[in-house]
Amino acid sequence: NAITTLWLTAPLFNQLCETNPYMFKHVKKLLTGGDVLSPKHINMVRKANPELTVINGYGPTENTTFSCCFTIDKKYTNSIPIGKPISNSTAYVVSNSGLLCPIGVPGELWVGGDGVSKGYLNNDDLTNEKFISNPFGEGIIYKTGDLVKWLTNGNIEFIGRIDNQVKVRGFRIELSEIDKQILDKFSE
């Protein structure tokens, strides 16, 4: 269909890559994200398609899915950076005490800008916990729960989660909710 720009979630990208890493030969730009990228799969596709530009598109749904982007221009073996904030967006790496973290020091990623939603429908408690007035500037920011750090080149590296949330097939799962359900069943 002469597609030149393509956006895929990380799990779908990995699956397609395993099937045929050459299938992207006519694509000029490939954006992938929605979960941690697999260096193995990214490297495989970049090697098979040297003219392809691959971009790590990071961002939670609460910030209209894109907060940061990073053009992958070399082989990575461990973690692929999530990049810098996109236009009209902000990103802060914040300590447990609410202070900005210096380069190289891990902290929670707080994102802001034009894409931040107004909160969760019918869930004021969670909205008030995660969406706060920006203490570093204007507007509202979303506390992602992602543990990150600034790199010396101005990009952000994803490290993990600050809580026990995991993703299963693209769905966010709170392990504490599973624990609660199990404990409720045993207490019956």
Side-chain angles (χ1 to χ4, degrees), residues 25-166:
K25 68 182 176 185
H26 298 294
V27 177
K28 297 198 183 319
K29 288 189 180 183
L30 171 65
L31 293 95
T32 185
D35 207 337
V36 179
L37 298 188
S38 160
K40 169 190 159 188
H41 293 96
I42 294 293
N43 294 335
M44 187 185 314
V45 165
R46 288 188 70 246
K47 183 177 180 182
N49 306 277
E51 300 300 314
L52 177 65
T53 299
V54 183
I55 299 168
N56 185 358
Y58 165 88
T61 301
E62 292 84 350
N63 197 23
T64 323
T65 70
F66 277 136
S67 300
C68 299
C69 284
F70 179 75
T71 300
I72 304 166
D73 58 357
K74 67 179 187 177
K75 184 176 181 177
Y76 286 88
T77 54
N78 295 321
S79 176
I80 298 171
I82 60 173
K84 299 174 183 173
I86 63 171
S87 295
N88 300 319
S89 294
T90 57
Y92 305 98
V93 180
V94 183
S95 70
N96 289 338
S97 57
L99 300 174
L100 294 175
C101 293
I103 293 170
V105 176
E108 182 180 8
L109 180 60
W110 293 3
V111 295
D114 292 346
V116 175
S117 74
K118 295 181 180 182
Y120 299 110
L121 184 63
N122 300 324
N123 194 338
D124 292 340
D125 290 341
L126 190 57
T127 295
N128 294 333
E129 176 187 338
K130 295 290 189 177
F131 295 86
I132 63 170
S133 185
N134 186 346
F136 312 113
E138 297 179 14
I140 300 295
I141 55 173
Y142 171 67
K143 298 164 68 173
T144 68
D146 288 337
L147 184 66
V148 300
K149 68 179 179 181
W150 285 108
L151 300 173
T152 56
N153 63 7
N155 287 299
I156 299 170
E157 179 180 24
F158 177 85
I159 299 170
R161 294 285 303 167
I162 63 169
D163 54 19
N164 291 322
Q165 185 184 88
V166 296

